[in-house]
Amino acid sequence: MKNSEANPKVDFYLQTGCGRCEYWNTPNCKVNSWRDILIELRKIILTTELKEELKWGQPCYTINGKNVLLMAAFRDYVALSFFKGTLLKDKNKILVAPGENSQSVRQIRFTKIDEVKNHKKIILDYIKEAIENEKKGLKVTKATNTPIPIELKQKFEQDKEFEKAFYSLTPGRQRAYLIYFNQPKNSSTKLSRIEKSIPKIFQGKGL
């Protein structure tokens, strides 16, 4: 099995950050806070056959064009996010849901470099299992689809770039927005929520 090749775009990410906020390429960027952990996790991932890419401003690892996992720096931790994390056996009980509306994504979170160095085999086992699940074409059974409000459909008709940005979000983020947009009974309130969320959606951010 051939190891993955390092992507220059991810090298740049590790140097400057994701570029999704005003702290890009500054000492306050979250990537700066967690660079050592990110680099150590990357070393582990690159020993697999996953292809290293940059999506949503973050290192994303794919196989046969399918997303398998995402590596990201947050304020309080670094996360390996498995797109079909609910399919993993999680025998070590280390996976967590990133949010209450997350149906399939699950994360392993790190706050110390030793958590990576001392558990390389466990981390690699989870990654290899995720790869095998994707190769087998396993699907996550999700809850009933959340309806798309008419106000959002109208926005999509008016702005195709916005529609493209929305459907570029992870499924969990899409669903979270749909739940948020559907909550108000009043159409004008729904529209207001959509309008206020447009900048974040274009930036690839969730609620």
Side-chain angles (χ1 to χ4, degrees):
M1 181 181 70
K2 183 180 178 182
N3 291 353
S4 178
E5 295 182 3
N7 189 320
K9 291 182 179 180
V10 176
D11 292 330
F12 188 69
Y13 160 87
L14 289 169
Q15 294 171 8
T16 63
C18 68
R20 291 167 59 187
C21 73
E22 67 272 22
Y23 298 122
W24 177 76
N25 203 20
T26 72
N28 293 322
C29 177
K30 292 187 287 292
V31 171
N32 284 329
S33 303
W34 304 108
R35 185 175 288 110
D36 58 342
I37 293 179
L38 292 164
I39 291 173
E40 198 66 28
L41 285 171
R42 186 192 190 198
K43 289 178 184 177
I44 296 172
I45 300 169
L46 290 180
T47 65
T48 73
E49 58 193 296
L50 291 174
K51 180 181 179 181
E52 185 174 69
E53 303 184 49
L54 195 73
K55 296 185 180 183
W56 309 287
Q58 299 165 337
C60 182
Y61 298 86
T62 66
I63 191 163
N64 300 326
K66 301 293 186 180
N67 298 326
V68 176
L69 69 93
L70 198 70
M71 182 174 73
F74 293 88
R75 184 184 64 183
D76 298 321
Y77 56 85
V78 171
L80 280 187
S81 297
F82 295 87
F83 285 88
K84 296 181 180 178
T86 52
L87 296 178
L88 298 174
K89 297 183 179 69
D90 193 22
K91 60 183 180 181
N92 297 95
K93 305 301 179 185
I94 55 177
L95 295 177
V96 296
E100 61 181 19
N101 294 316
S102 300
Q103 292 196 62
S104 59
V105 177
R106 292 295 182 269
Q107 297 177 338
I108 306 176
R109 295 178 178 177
F110 306 90
T111 57
K112 298 177 182 177
I113 187 69
D114 286 346
E115 292 172 344
V116 182
K117 290 183 175 180
N118 297 336
H119 299 93
K120 288 183 179 180
K121 185 182 184 303
I122 291 174
I123 296 167
L124 189 57
D125 285 346
Y126 276 68
I127 295 171
K128 287 181 177 179
E129 184 184 351
I131 292 172
E132 289 306 309
N133 287 344
E134 194 57 58
K135 284 182 175 181
K136 293 174 183 175
L138 300 184
K139 304 290 184 182
V140 175
T141 302
K142 296 184 178 181
T144 305
N145 289 335
T146 307
I148 301 175
I150 186 66
E151 293 81 4
L152 184 59
K153 290 181 180 179
Q154 290 171 348
K155 275 292 175 184
F156 287 162
E157 288 296 320
Q158 296 167 9
D159 189 342
K160 290 300 180 182
E161 287 301 311
F162 171 57
E163 181 179 19
K164 182 179 178 181
F166 182 84
Y167 286 113
S168 294
L169 296 172
T170 60
R173 287 178 178 174
Q174 290 180 34
R175 183 169 179 267
Y177 274 116
L178 291 177
I179 291 172
Y180 177 63
F181 296 154
N182 275 306
Q183 284 173 344
K185 294 182 179 180
N186 189 289
S187 178
S188 61
T189 306
K190 289 183 180 180
L191 188 58
S192 175
R193 288 191 174 192
I194 293 168
E195 293 283 358
K196 290 178 180 178
S197 300
I198 287 175
K200 292 178 70 175
I201 291 172
F202 269 113
Q203 292 170 20
K205 296 180 178 179
L207 280 172

